[in-house]
Amino acid sequence: MDKIEFKEHMLSHLYSEYGKGFENASEYEFYQSLSRTVMELLSPNWEKTRNLYRDGRQVHYFSAEFLVGRSLENNLINLGILEPVKELVEEMGYDFNNLLEEERDPGLGNGGLGRLAACFMDSSTTMNLPVIGHGLLYRYGLFRQEIENGFQKEYPDSWMEWGYPFIVPRREDTMLVHYDDLDVYAVPYDMPISGYDTNNVGTLRLWRAEPAEEFDFNLFNSQRFDDAVIERNRVQDITRVLYPNDTSYDGKVLRVRQQYFFVSASLQVIVRDYRKIHGSDFSKFAEHNRVQLNDTHPVLAIPELMRLLVDENKQSWEEAWKITCNTFAFTNHTIMQEALETWNVEIFRYLFPRILQIVERIDKQFEEELAGKGLNQQEIEQISPIHDGKVHMAYLAAYTCFSVNGVAQIHSNLIKSTVFKPFYENSPEKFNNKTNGVTPRRWLKVCNPELSNLLTDLLGSDKWIRDLTKLRDLERFVDDTDVMRRLLEIKDLNKNRLIGHIQKHEGISLSSDFIFDVQIKRLHEYKRQLLNALEIVDRYYRIKEKPKAASGPPVAYIFGAKAAPGYFNAKAVIKFINEIAKLVNSDSDVNEHMRVVFLHNYNVSYAEKIFPAADISEQISTVGMEASGTGNMKFMMNGALTLGTYDGANLEILSEVGEDNSFMFGPKLKDFPDTKAYYNAHWQYENIAGLKRAVDILIDGTITDGNTGMFKAIHDSMLLGTSSEVADPYYVLGDFDDYRKSRQLAHDSYRDSIKWAQMCWINICRSGTFSSDRTISDYARDIWQITDNKLEN
Ligand code: NBG
């Protein structure tokens, strides 16, 4: 399509959608018509790809979250038309970047787990692999965060209220999902996933709940307005919000309903499509379909497939069990107990007694099997899918699935020795590691165009975009000071871009002379934003006390994080950081040397502006608690240095770049003290210079939490144990001194800019293994056993 045709297509979309032409179109309407034209361009190959994949083995990636981020720019790049479209848009008097900002981020995920699923979709399509994503179309994504008076406030994120151009309904695949108290229509909305340098277009299928009963016209007519809509609301609630608050019983029921909703609808389609080819012979089902369960949220798929096979397709229990075990593979993403979902048996009984019956039978079978292997009743009971009145989703998955993997080497080892120990001992062959990765398209090429161009120029080709290990060849430029200067210039440019954005959205001014020391991730105690904050307070006091302490370069401490709405201590840390920001930024004794920024509403598109501008990547989780991390990889690719603990994928980054090109601190896992027996937080508090002063800022009146008790709560969590928890369970005080030293070293090292650039360069050149293309080829080879299937021109 040339420019003129492209413009004609845009115009016809404008007319048909809004009844107006270019002269009267708003920026938003212009963006919509542009996006619809892009959809038009993608659609023929999308359809062909679906046909191409139909008969071979397909992988179904089941996930409650897909944090895809914006689509327009990514699609333009993948279609190879970014430059001409940009020109066209500018010729027509629009600012291209403003247009991109019109697209709302589909907030269909919380954090790393959801973003990983999105990177996997990108890599699968780019590598021409038949992988389909299945999830939920939440009307309201993760909340929009505002910071009011330093507190996090949540607002609904109505990202699709005005229509989202990159999804289309496929009413022909509407399925009926049955609960004991309700029948619901599941309507799929498909999103095309374009890949880089390929014609293949993958599919992300998102289900939305719609009432199966017609709107009750008679009730409405007889003035019973509420009764007429109550039932409809109850149905639409199922896909109204991402992760509704599940602290109440009703919230939990809704959550389970959501989970069953999408796995049931997807499996019904998969079974139907299989029957179209193989009729009622199910012996090839698992050969045809592999389902990857992304954490415990979709694990209800296990009993649901059993139900479909046994009740609706006349398979014997034994046959069905064999098929089910060979179909499902499971990924665990955390060993934190709170995230290993368990559901009260009564919820299952209420929603779907038949599913409960199936899980009970699986449970019985499990117990008999293990008893046959000589385990005693008590041992078996503790790890069986149903015990203590609850269904344990992780155990159900570990027992059934043919593959169980963790997401970084240390984490995959840990699950074998902790949460899944007995399962590992029973079937070691199931367990494997698949270290996470991120897509170099979005996280390098798209977000950092100048660095991408430099890499392409030096390499003499852009092959690195599909094979990131190619960057290794560029290491030879590390001693070329011109290249290092260019790298520094690019960082400076990216910093200035971010500075403009921060000025506009946060009202804080920065300069690119500052070191950008960044921690962006969900707010969680184990991720230890609190450790970062306390070290900032300590530096603040040191400078106040002795201005000479500020001899190094100035530092901008940048945070972005959302806290779960019901997570009190996490919200307290947000308030704490904002209070520190107020204190520091308004104090002229220090604000030339340090500034603190808490970015509100951190999301994928904000992240795309931050990674390229960062100098230091804060990866400071308590050892053993961060399964992998993926932000750490994005920082590395964009030339930021890791300041981190020996945890998650930090360890694998370290083994690529070495201690000379990163700043590691704290104990290794094997040396980590048993905090329950040998750790005295109080000793640290009293004896580590400056620590008491920093910690006590929480309670000495210097800053205030507005009488919420928040600051006292985090103060106490570090110093007072409870009957169930030791003091400072996340070892914040324990790691403080070591962290401070490493951070100081990192900041001091920044002064030698060429040396600094060389370290960044090594990080970039050795980031190849952290491409999600590598991760996906590992899954494809070891778990899914699929090969590529490329659409020809
Ligand atoms: C998160 C881990 C991260 C990991 C991502 C993706 C959950 C439950 N887990 O360390 O905390 O990088 O999953 O695997 O969101």
Side-chain angles (χ1 to χ4, degrees):
M1 209 186 266
D2 63 20
K3 263 194 200 169
I4 298 176
E5 278 176 296
F6 197 91
K7 220 168 136 178
E8 277 167 8
H9 283 254
M10 280 181 66
L11 186 61
S12 68
H13 285 294
L14 270 183
Y15 278 133
S16 64
E17 292 292 319
Y18 304 106
K20 46 172 117 153
F22 286 123
E23 314 73 58
N24 294 312
S26 68
E27 214 159 51
Y28 178 76
E29 288 160 350
F30 193 89
Y31 143 77
Q32 281 277 356
S33 68
L34 173 58
S35 302
R36 284 178 197 274
T37 310
V38 167
M39 273 300 265
E40 229 187 308
L41 287 174
L42 286 171
S43 290
N45 281 338
W46 190 16
E47 193 167 26
K48 283 188 204 153
T49 310
R50 285 198 299 277
N51 293 338
L52 180 72
Y53 291 168
R54 185 163 299 151
D55 297 338
R57 174 177 295 181
Q58 306 203 40
V59 170
H60 305 279
Y61 198 82
F62 279 21
S63 176
E65 300 181 26
F66 287 91
L67 198 46
V68 288
R70 288 179 178 152
S71 298
L72 178 58
E73 188 180 17
N74 204 48
N75 284 330
L76 288 172
I77 288 181
N78 288 339
L79 285 164
I81 56 170
L82 178 71
E83 288 310 321
V85 167
K86 213 169 169 173
E87 269 169 38
L88 176 77
V89 165
E90 282 172 3
E91 277 162 27
M92 296 179 70
Y94 288 90
D95 179 289
F96 185 67
N97 287 324
N98 285 354
L99 275 190
L100 297 180
E101 297 287 328
E102 289 291 338
E103 180 175 349
R104 297 286 298 266
D105 269 45
L108 305 181
N110 277 295
L113 172 149
R115 185 51 235 177
L116 184 77
C119 284
F120 281 5
M121 293 309 298
D122 178 285
S123 285
S124 299
T125 303
T126 297
M127 298 197 298
N128 307 308
L129 293 168
V131 178
I132 298 163
H134 301 252
L136 288 151
L137 186 68
Y138 304 101
R139 177 161 165 202
Y140 300 101
L142 188 61
F143 60 87
R144 184 165 59 77
Q145 178 194 52
E146 292 288 344
I147 302 298
E148 291 171 14
N149 196 16
F151 294 103
Q152 166 176 298
K153 285 274 164 342
E154 303 94 27
Y155 291 94
D157 169 30
S158 45
W159 66 282
M160 53 180 280
E161 228 47 4
W162 298 96
Y164 187 72
F166 296 103
I167 47 175
V168 291
R170 295 226 185 279
R171 298 219 162 252
E172 69 276 20
D173 281 352
T174 297
M175 293 288 138
L176 189 73
V177 175
H178 171 74
Y179 306 92
D180 222 38
D181 63 337
L182 199 65
D183 279 335
V184 182
Y185 278 139
V187 182
Y189 284 72
D190 286 1
M191 180 186 289
I193 306 291
S194 59
Y196 186 75
D197 192 21
T198 174
N199 290 328
N200 288 37
V201 179
T203 299
L204 170 57
R205 166 156 286 196
L206 302 170
W207 294 95
R208 172 177 168 150
E210 285 186 10
E213 305 281 326
E214 290 254 342
F215 172 65
D216 195 330
F217 193 75
N218 290 329
L219 271 184
F220 197 84
N221 251 358
S222 53
Q223 315 295 306
R224 289 172 58 193
F225 306 124
D226 290 348
D227 290 347
V229 292
I230 273 174
E231 195 65 8
R232 294 178 74 79
N233 281 344
R234 210 154 79 91
V235 169
Q236 285 162 353
D237 277 347
I238 297 175
T239 48
R240 200 181 302 281
V241 282
L242 166 72
Y243 290 8
N245 192 346
D246 65 4
T247 44
S248 70
Y249 183 76
D250 285 348
K252 289 199 169 77
V253 173
L254 186 52
R255 182 75 190 274
V256 180
R257 242 198 238 286
Q258 277 189 333
Q259 299 186 347
Y260 182 70
F261 175 73
F262 90 95
V263 300
S264 171
S266 284
L267 284 171
Q268 288 183 53
V269 175
I270 293 168
V271 168
R272 180 202 69 187
D273 289 351
Y274 176 85
R275 289 188 60 130
K276 279 188 196 154
I277 303 177
H278 298 277
S280 51
D281 171 12
F282 276 82
S283 61
K284 293 201 172 62
F285 185 85
E287 215 174 283
H288 224 78
N289 297 290
R290 286 281 143 88
V291 179
Q292 189 73 36
L293 301 173
N294 197 27
D295 221 332
T296 49
H297 320 130
V299 166
L300 270 165
I302 292 171
E304 175 64 359
L305 181 61
M306 288 298 290
R307 186 189 70 78
L308 288 168
L309 293 173
V310 173
D311 297 2
E312 299 196 0
N313 290 281
K314 303 196 180 67
Q315 302 296 299
S316 69
W317 177 272
E318 289 69 25
E319 276 307 315
W321 180 245
K322 210 163 83 194
I323 295 167
T324 299
C325 293
N326 290 330
T327 300
F328 291 110
F330 174 65
T331 306
N332 168 274
H333 291 267
T334 183
I335 59 168
M336 309 290 286
Q337 275 303 327
E338 65 191 40
L340 301 174
E341 291 177 304
T342 58
W343 301 117
N344 201 308
V345 169
E346 292 315 313
I347 297 179
F348 276 38
R349 200 185 314 282
Y350 171 72
L351 288 176
F352 24 61
R354 175 61 183 142
I355 292 292
L356 177 60
Q357 225 176 39
I358 291 171
V359 180
E360 280 168 347
R361 180 144 176 207
I362 296 174
D363 184 67
K364 185 159 167 272
Q365 181 182 302
F366 173 78
E367 296 194 355
E368 283 167 6
E369 225 173 274
L370 287 202
K373 290 186 174 168
L375 266 78
N376 71 43
Q377 197 49 42
Q378 206 193 346
E379 283 171 307
I380 298 173
E381 183 61 19
Q382 274 171 13
I383 55 163
S384 64
I386 303 182
H387 64 267
D388 296 343
K390 296 201 174 96
V391 186
H392 295 249
M393 305 309 275
Y395 296 156
L396 178 58
Y399 170 48
T400 313
C401 295
F402 70 87
S403 162
V404 177
N405 74 283
V407 290
Q409 198 60 59
I410 182 181
H411 169 240
S412 295
N413 290 340
L414 271 170
I415 61 177
K416 293 195 278 194
S417 57
T418 60
V419 270
F420 296 131
K421 187 163 188 268
F423 295 90
Y424 172 64
E425 284 164 355
N426 200 31
S427 12
E429 71 291 345
K430 280 186 184 184
F431 284 78
N432 63 90
N433 173 53
K434 296 286 167 281
T435 298
N436 284 342
V438 304
T439 167
R441 270 75 61 186
R442 184 174 294 265
W443 297 113
L444 180 51
K445 175 164 170 56
V446 183
C447 73
N448 201 340
E450 285 79 12
L451 179 57
S452 297
N453 290 342
L454 177 66
L455 300 173
T456 301
D457 287 350
L458 294 175
L459 205 61
S461 97
D462 64 1
K463 290 216 166 67
W464 60 271
I465 301 171
R466 295 182 120 256
D467 176 5
L468 202 64
T469 59
K470 288 259 183 306
L471 295 183
R472 271 266 174 182
D473 296 348
L474 296 178
E475 233 180 278
R476 61 199 153 93
F477 289 100
V478 72
D479 292 319
D480 184 331
T481 38
D482 287 343
V483 173
M484 293 308 107
R485 282 214 185 84
R486 184 75 196 109
L487 180 64
L488 292 169
E489 279 162 23
I490 292 171
K491 186 61 82 179
D492 203 63
L493 185 107
N494 287 325
K495 280 172 144 179
N496 279 311
R497 266 188 205 139
L498 179 63
I499 287 169
H501 197 80
I502 290 179
Q503 179 73 58
K504 183 164 162 207
H505 294 275
E506 321 294 344
I508 296 178
S509 52
L510 295 174
S511 117
S512 64
D513 299 336
F514 280 68
I515 300 176
F516 281 21
D517 180 322
V518 185
Q519 187 170 19
I520 42 175
K521 46 182 82 244
R522 274 181 305 138
L523 214 136
H524 200 294
E525 286 165 286
Y526 83 79
K527 294 179 188 279
R528 298 199 297 189
Q529 284 92 348
L530 181 56
L531 173 60
N532 184 340
L534 289 174
E535 205 279 335
I536 296 172
V537 174
D538 175 59
R539 178 140 188 268
Y540 168 77
Y541 280 130
R542 276 187 288 137
I543 299 179
K544 290 289 277 185
E545 207 172 55
K546 267 200 238 127
K548 268 213 200 112
S551 60
V555 185
Y557 300 92
I558 300 175
F559 294 86
K562 290 180 178 174
Y567 190 170
F568 188 75
N569 280 7
K571 289 178 124 172
V573 173
I574 291 184
K575 172 70 175 164
F576 184 39
I577 296 168
N578 279 297
E579 285 307 303
I580 300 171
K582 208 156 79 188
L583 181 75
V584 169
N585 299 351
S586 63
D587 185 336
S588 56
D589 291 350
V590 300
N591 65 14
E592 292 305 307
H593 306 294
M594 59 192 295
R595 274 184 210 175
V596 180
V597 187
F598 190 95
L599 311 169
H600 78 285
N601 203 35
Y602 171 61
N603 60 12
V604 176
S605 37
Y606 218 142
E608 289 170 18
K609 298 183 175 73
I610 304 168
F611 287 114
D615 297 308
I616 292 176
S617 153
E618 297 278 348
Q619 306 301 334
I620 58 176
S621 53
T622 315
V623 153
M625 295 195 185
E626 187 69 88
S628 162
T630 44
N632 44 7
M633 303 169 183
K634 295 165 198 163
F635 278 113
M636 178 193 195
M637 266 174 213
N638 285 281
L641 303 181
T642 306
L643 169 56
T645 46
Y646 295 91
D647 199 19
N650 295 353
L651 285 167
E652 285 160 72
I653 292 178
L654 176 67
S655 74
E656 292 295 319
V657 303
E659 299 266 358
D660 290 348
N661 298 297
S662 55
F663 302 95
M664 308 298 284
F665 69 91
K668 310 224 160 97
L669 185 61
K670 65 176 176 32
D671 304 319
F672 191 71
D674 175 357
T675 45
K676 294 206 170 62
Y678 303 107
Y679 172 53
N680 181 348
H682 231 273
W683 187 92
Q684 307 283 330
Y685 171 74
E686 296 289 350
N687 292 287
I688 302 294
L691 189 51
K692 186 171 194 302
R693 179 174 67 179
V695 171
D696 284 351
I697 198 175
L698 284 161
I699 50 160
D700 67 10
T702 313
I703 54 174
T704 162
D705 64 6
N707 294 323
T708 53
M710 281 181 156
F711 289 174
K712 172 109 184 4
I714 41 181
H715 191 266
D716 287 355
S717 80
M718 289 186 281
L719 292 166
L720 305 176
T722 62
S723 54
S724 58
E725 189 90 281
V726 291
D728 193 19
Y730 299 97
Y731 207 59
V732 172
L733 306 186
D735 271 342
F736 180 83
D737 197 33
D738 224 11
Y739 175 54
R740 177 168 58 186
K741 284 195 195 113
S742 280
R743 197 176 212 184
Q744 189 63 54
L745 179 64
H747 292 174
D748 288 343
S749 311
Y750 186 79
R751 265 187 276 201
D752 183 347
S753 56
I754 292 295
K755 176 80 205 327
W756 182 269
Q758 289 174 318
M759 294 163 78
C760 296
W761 190 251
I762 299 277
N763 271 268
I764 298 167
C765 294
R766 299 189 188 171
S767 64
T769 176
F770 302 110
S771 163
S772 47
D773 298 349
R774 191 269 311 143
T775 315
I776 283 296
S777 19
D778 291 350
Y779 276 90
R781 185 191 57 236
D782 302 341
I783 303 178
W784 303 335
Q785 277 118 24
I786 47 168
T787 49
D788 58 341
N789 197 352
K790 188 167 165 37
L791 201 67
E792 294 311 329
N793 288 339

